[in-house]
Amino acid sequence: MSISSDFYNVIDIALGVKRINSEEGSACDLIIGSKKAALIDTGLGLGDLPGLVRSLTDLPLLIFNTHCHCDHIGGNGLFAQPIHMGEEDIPTCGYSNDVFFRKTMLENRRLSDTFDREEYLGRGYGALIPVKEGDLFDLGELTIKVFDAPGHSAGSRAYLIPERKILYVGDSVGRTVLIFGYGAADRKTYIRTLDKLLGLPFDIILSSHNPDPMGREDMERCRRAALLADYETGEPFPNLIRNGDSARICCLPGMTTKDEKDPEYGAVILSEGTI
C-alpha cells in the first residue's frame, strides 16, 4: 500500500515499517510498534512532515538521525521531541546546516506558496540527545538497535530492526558514498564500519538517497569501492557544503562516472584528509 500527497509518497516496506519518499531526494522512515513509533531522519524539512506522521500514527514518537547533514536533519526543528544523534556529529551540525548549504538545497525546488524561506534558513536542528552503539529502544513488538557507523560522518549511526531484518544506514551505502570534508571519518574507518555491519542479521538495507530497498550485495559493492579506491586517478568533485576541501570521485577499477547507470557501478568520494 502507498499513500500519496502533494509532497510525500509513503510506501509500506514491511509490517509496521513505512518509507517516506519525497521530492527532497532524502527518504525518511517511520517504524510503528504497538507502544511507540520512531522516525528515522527528517529530510530537508520542506514539507509538513509532522502533519504526515500524525496522520499515520498517534503513538508517542521517538526521532533518530543517521547523521548531521542538512538533508537528514532539516526537519528536526519542526518537532518538539528531543532527537537522537551520534555524539560525534553534534558539534558539526552548525557546519553542515549553515545558510550556504541550506540555500544550495533550495535551488530548483518546487515549494508551496506558504513555504517560509526565512524561517527555513534560520531554523535550528532540535534538541539533540547522544545515542551510541548498544542503545536499545523497545517500540512494542519492534526494537531498534543502535550501531556506530563512522565513515560518511564521524558520528553516523545505523539502526537495526531485528524483528524485520531491516538495517537503516543513512548515507553509508549508495551508488556513490561521500567520505570527505570536515566531520567525516577516513576511508579505513569506513571499511571497518562496513565489515561490522555486514556481520549483522539483515536482509534489507534502507539507504537515505535510494527510494527502493537495497540488499547485502549493495553494501559489499561499497566496501569494494572503498577498498580499491585510487585517489590519484579520481575525478574532481566540488564541495557542496562549503567552499574548499577539494575531493575526488574514485570509481571501481575500470569504471568512470560515465558508467553510473551500470548496475555494477560503485564509487567513493575522498579528500586528501580521508584517503
Side-chain angles (χ1 to χ4, degrees):
M1 182 186 76
S2 67
I3 300 172
S4 296
S5 68
D6 289 340
F7 197 80
Y8 296 106
N9 182 39
V10 182
I11 300 171
D12 287 331
I13 299 296
L15 183 62
V17 179
K18 298 180 181 292
R19 170 134 275 211
I20 303 172
N21 292 316
S22 74
E23 295 182 16
E24 295 177 354
S26 296
C28 308
D29 293 276
L30 184 64
I31 302 116
I32 303 174
S34 60
K35 298 177 182 178
K36 297 178 182 179
L39 179 67
I40 298 181
D41 282 341
T42 61
L44 277 169
L46 304 182
D48 182 12
L49 184 60
L52 176 70
V53 171
R54 285 194 299 270
S55 74
L56 296 171
T57 179
D58 59 1
L59 290 172
L61 182 67
L62 303 175
I63 304 178
F64 300 85
N65 290 145
T66 57
H67 60 290
C68 64
H69 295 160
C70 182
D71 51 338
H72 298 262
I73 75 171
N76 281 12
L78 298 173
F79 292 88
Q81 294 94 332
I83 295 164
H84 300 81
M85 178 186 287
E87 184 174 14
E88 302 88 344
D89 270 11
I90 293 176
T92 63
C93 281
Y95 172 85
S96 57
N97 288 270
D98 69 2
V99 173
F100 174 85
F101 190 25
R102 291 202 176 204
K103 283 183 176 178
T104 301
M105 293 295 100
L106 290 181
E107 292 177 1
N108 302 315
R109 298 276 182 183
R110 182 177 69 88
L111 303 171
S112 71
D113 294 338
T114 59
F115 182 78
D116 188 337
R117 181 183 176 90
E118 294 307 311
E119 182 277 331
Y120 181 73
L121 294 179
R123 184 188 297 166
Y125 30 84
L128 302 176
I129 301 175
V131 69
K132 64 183 183 305
E133 183 158 331
D135 287 347
L136 191 66
F137 297 86
D138 182 5
L139 305 180
E141 300 179 23
L142 295 177
T143 308
I144 294 179
K145 292 186 176 181
V146 183
F147 294 88
D148 297 346
H152 180 66
S153 74
S156 285
R157 296 295 187 258
Y159 300 102
L160 176 69
I161 306 176
E163 296 85 358
R164 300 289 182 264
K165 294 189 175 181
I166 295 175
L167 182 66
Y168 294 91
V169 295
D171 286 355
S172 296
V173 175
R175 303 273 287 168
T176 302
V177 178
L178 284 70
I179 311 292
F180 82 95
Y182 177 70
D186 59 33
R187 180 172 64 95
K188 290 181 179 179
T189 299
Y190 175 60
I191 293 170
R192 288 195 294 270
T193 288
L194 296 185
D195 285 341
K196 176 178 69 177
L197 296 182
L198 282 166
L200 298 180
F202 67 86
D203 293 330
I204 295 173
I205 293 172
L206 291 178
S207 174
S208 298
H209 297 295
N210 294 76
D212 299 319
M214 305 177 77
R216 188 173 293 270
E217 67 277 6
D218 296 292
M219 186 179 289
E220 291 170 343
R221 187 179 303 112
C222 288
R223 185 186 184 280
R224 290 199 304 274
L227 192 65
L228 302 174
D230 182 1
Y231 186 76
E232 295 304 317
T233 61
E235 302 175 41
F237 181 82
N239 187 339
L240 301 178
I241 298 177
R242 187 174 291 181
N243 293 328
D245 219 358
S246 60
R248 297 182 185 179
I249 306 175
C250 308
C251 303
L252 282 167
M255 290 189 170
T256 71
T257 52
K258 294 180 181 179
D259 300 305
E260 277 187 294
K261 294 184 179 180
D262 188 315
E264 295 305 313
Y265 175 85
V268 292
I269 301 178
L270 303 172
S271 62
E272 290 186 357
T274 61
I275 299 173

